[in-house]
Amino acid sequence: MSEIASRVREIIAQELGVEMDKVKDDANFVEDLGADSLDTVELVMAFEEEFGIEIPDEDAEQMQTVGQAIGYLNEKE
Amino acid sequence: MATRRVVITGVGLVTPVGLDPESTWAALLDGESGAGPITLFDASEYQVRFACEVKGFDPEAHMERKEARRADRFLQLAMATAGQAMTQAGLADDWGGTDPSRAGVIIGSGIGGLPLLEQQHKKLLERGPSRVSPFFIPMFIADMSAGMVSMRYGARGPNYATVSACASSAHAIGLAFRSVRHGEADVMISGGTESTITPLCVAGFASMKAMSGRNEDPTTASRPFCATRDGFVLGEGSGMLILEELEHATARGAAILGEVVGFGQSADAYHLTAPAPDGAGARSAMQYALDDAGLEPTEIQYINAHGTSTPANDSSETAAIKSVFGDHAAELVVGSTKSMTGHTLGAAGAIEGAISTLVCQRGTIPPTINFHEADPGCDLEYAHGGPMKRPVKTALTNSFGFGGHNVCLAVTRWDGE
């Protein structure tokens, strides 16, 4: 696993209060990891913080699974 | 319709002297002070550097990890005491088969989520508006304690917060008592919660010269009714009571701990922070509570006083007690458990309501510690020098808040009928 992927997974586990083994690539934040609308905003803010970037709302909306988030942040780094 | 009676079937306490009702009670009887140097932030540059903090509290023992991480501390404390009280009442699992649409929640806080406010405001100033958490507003607003407790238990009846500074949770219990008495609900989870040992709060109270300045000796600083008192000691904590309609409680075989019989409230209409020196507002609140309960002054054996350890409160409260009780004022025992818990602001009324319930149930009055020197302005019999064995059928508990809000609650021992 890339370094970025492992940082993303850790943030997700921390922010959503789930065990690391649940944070699989195809896990959907809302459906599989129990996130609500506020959680997803906070999660995106945590990504911004960790990677020192701004994520526009349009991009954030496209990020619905662990894999999508890792892909997006890999590209940005 | 006959008057519906309102009994207490559960209590919850997280205080600076204990993380549950039994450990708090034991510490109170031992005369243990909850005061110490502030550890929740670096207070080394502050005028007042000590407080009564809740020690060793683990929010994850009471909430899911995610929820615990986001909830401000006043919410964590309320979830803990609500859980304790609901468990004791036998209602934590599925309401013991009763109807949750007939159950409500009223929880008071004087301030709300000040720690979170300060943290988020710092973020705003240092890193800009896009860094402010979406959880800031929901986890800061003072009513979220009532909201979260209703979500945990599915309580669909009346639901709100009361805000009247240091009378907040006494108002919560009084209004919950009325909800049950008037038939609006059968069960009410009611109490208070406060956690504002923060830079801004400590600085603000220090500027008012409201707090004790005894930094060198924190455990002796809160000394209600003593001639040498010099201010209150800031505390934090939560108290919760389950109030239940009598028939509802007996039908399900609940153990009854006590009964709420009276609620009186008034305003000083006098000053932002100072109590009226003659205690007129406090006097009215006590009188209304007696009237509401249909009690004569001679039927009261114990008053858990507001007793903050400020020069102004303790003498005006004493004057008020004397004007309500006349000769009987010399017969009853007055005490302030704030000598040990510190002043938990909006949580104080509920914490002291719970303590008063235990006093009636157990026939022991906790001491007012640090009472060493009589003050001519405070000339009642104050419980001090160790726990006092004394049958108490009925107790009053006073709570007064900045703004001139006065509340008095009357609770009695449950003797089986």
Side-chain angles (χ1 to χ4, degrees):
Chain A
M1 201 193 312
S2 77
E3 189 238 337
I4 288 180
S6 74
R7 277 158 73 194
V8 172
R9 282 174 209 280
E10 261 173 48
I11 292 169
I12 294 168
Q14 164 93 1
E15 287 296 326
L16 302 183
V18 293
E19 298 303 326
M20 278 298 271
D21 61 5
K22 295 254 175 69
V23 189
K24 298 195 174 85
D25 273 0
D26 60 352
N28 183 290
F29 298 137
V30 175
E31 282 155 27
D32 302 316
L33 303 180
D36 64 18
S37 59
L38 299 178
D39 290 325
T40 52
V41 176
E42 181 104 322
L43 184 59
V44 169
M45 284 173 58
F47 292 148
E48 291 178 327
E49 194 99 335
E50 173 75 15
F51 295 99
I53 55 169
E54 288 286 327
I55 301 175
D57 287 351
E58 310 84 77
D59 292 2
E61 279 160 27
Q62 301 304 314
M63 229 188 276
Q64 293 178 6
T65 65
V66 174
Q68 286 165 353
I70 292 172
Y72 180 86
L73 292 162
N74 252 320
E75 226 169 86
K76 283 276 173 180
E77 263 291 298
Chain B
M1 187 174 91
T3 305
R4 285 159 56 96
R5 292 172 65 182
V6 184
V7 295
I8 301 160
T9 53
V11 300
L13 282 171
V14 174
T15 73
V17 297
L19 295 175
D20 55 62
E22 290 311 323
S23 60
T24 296
W25 178 252
L28 293 175
L29 294 193
D30 283 348
E32 197 181 296
S33 167
I38 290 174
T39 66
L40 290 166
F41 69 97
D42 177 6
S44 53
E45 300 298 314
Y46 286 64
Q47 232 179 304
V48 174
R49 300 181 289 279
F50 67 102
C52 287
E53 295 180 346
V54 167
K55 292 160 276 288
F57 176 73
D58 174 16
E60 289 188 21
H62 308 280
M63 308 167 83
E64 280 178 28
R65 193 174 11 147
K66 182 172 81 173
E67 199 181 31
R69 205 166 65 79
R70 289 179 175 159
D72 205 22
R73 188 164 159 99
F74 82 109
L75 297 170
Q76 298 170 347
L77 297 175
M79 293 300 276
T81 56
Q84 293 167 358
M86 286 291 281
T87 300
Q88 182 176 31
L91 294 169
D93 297 316
D94 207 22
W95 290 94
T98 67
D99 178 6
S101 69
R102 299 275 306 156
V105 187
I106 308 175
I107 300 174
S109 289
I111 300 176
L114 197 57
L116 189 61
L117 175 73
E118 291 182 33
Q119 177 214 100
Q120 292 293 312
H121 187 245
K122 187 164 180 275
K123 238 180 201 177
L124 172 75
L125 296 181
E126 288 176 357
R127 323 209 28 204
S130 65
R131 298 265 73 90
V132 172
S133 168
F135 289 98
F136 160 52
I137 301 284
M139 296 307 195
F140 149 76
I141 52 181
D143 54 288
M144 195 51 71
S145 51
M148 278 179 103
V149 169
S150 76
M151 288 168 230
R152 161 75 58 86
Y153 296 105
R156 296 191 175 80
N159 191 287
Y160 54 95
T162 45
V163 178
S164 53
C166 306
S168 298
S169 58
H171 266 128
I173 292 170
L175 293 167
F177 162 62
R178 283 205 183 146
S179 275
V180 175
R181 188 195 245 182
H182 293 175
E184 187 179 34
D186 294 327
V187 178
M188 293 295 292
I189 303 170
S190 70
T193 184
E194 199 86 83
S195 178
T196 61
I197 302 175
T198 68
L200 198 54
C201 184
V202 170
F205 279 128
S207 293
M208 292 173 70
K209 312 285 178 209
M211 292 191 293
S212 168
R214 292 192 161 91
N215 289 303
E216 307 321 313
D217 203 1
T219 62
T220 71
S222 183
R223 41 181 86 180
F225 304 108
C226 179
T228 58
R229 68 191 182 278
D230 72 333
F232 75 84
V233 176
L234 183 60
E236 59 169 353
S238 176
M240 212 64 73
L241 299 179
I242 305 300
L243 304 189
E244 188 167 357
E245 195 273 323
L246 174 59
E247 303 293 323
H248 190 274
T250 50
R252 64 182 190 87
I256 295 173
L257 311 172
E259 181 174 2
V260 180
V261 292
F263 166 42
Q265 53 173 336
S266 72
D268 275 4
Y270 174 74
H271 185 265
L272 292 179
T273 56
D278 60 353
R283 191 194 66 75
S284 301
M286 283 185 270
Q287 188 60 57
Y288 297 154
L290 292 172
D291 295 346
D292 191 40
L295 289 167
E296 293 301 322
T298 51
E299 292 176 276
I300 304 300
Q301 292 85 33
Y302 169 66
I303 299 177
N304 187 304
H306 188 51
T308 55
S309 178
T310 62
N313 175 82
D314 297 359
S315 56
S316 74
E317 186 173 11
T318 297
I321 291 169
K322 282 158 64 176
S323 76
V324 173
F325 289 91
D327 291 345
H328 185 66
E331 308 295 317
L332 50 77
V333 179
V334 177
S336 171
T337 41
K338 287 188 183 75
S339 59
M340 295 171 277
T341 62
H343 190 356
T344 59
L345 309 182
I351 289 174
E352 290 157 23
I355 293 169
S356 299
T357 303
L358 299 178
V359 166
C360 294
Q361 186 197 36
R362 297 171 182 192
T364 305
I365 296 173
T368 305
I369 66 167
N370 304 321
F371 180 87
H372 304 299
E373 196 180 326
D375 174 344
C378 301
D379 53 351
L380 295 170
E381 184 188 354
Y382 304 106
H384 68 284
M388 186 187 267
K389 280 272 174 209
R390 176 84 62 112
V392 175
K393 173 63 182 169
T394 307
L396 297 186
T397 175
N398 285 337
S399 298
F400 312 136
F402 286 169
H405 323 291
N406 307 299
V407 178
C408 179
L409 299 167
V411 297
T412 69
R413 188 174 67 216
W414 180 252
D415 291 327
E417 58 182 350

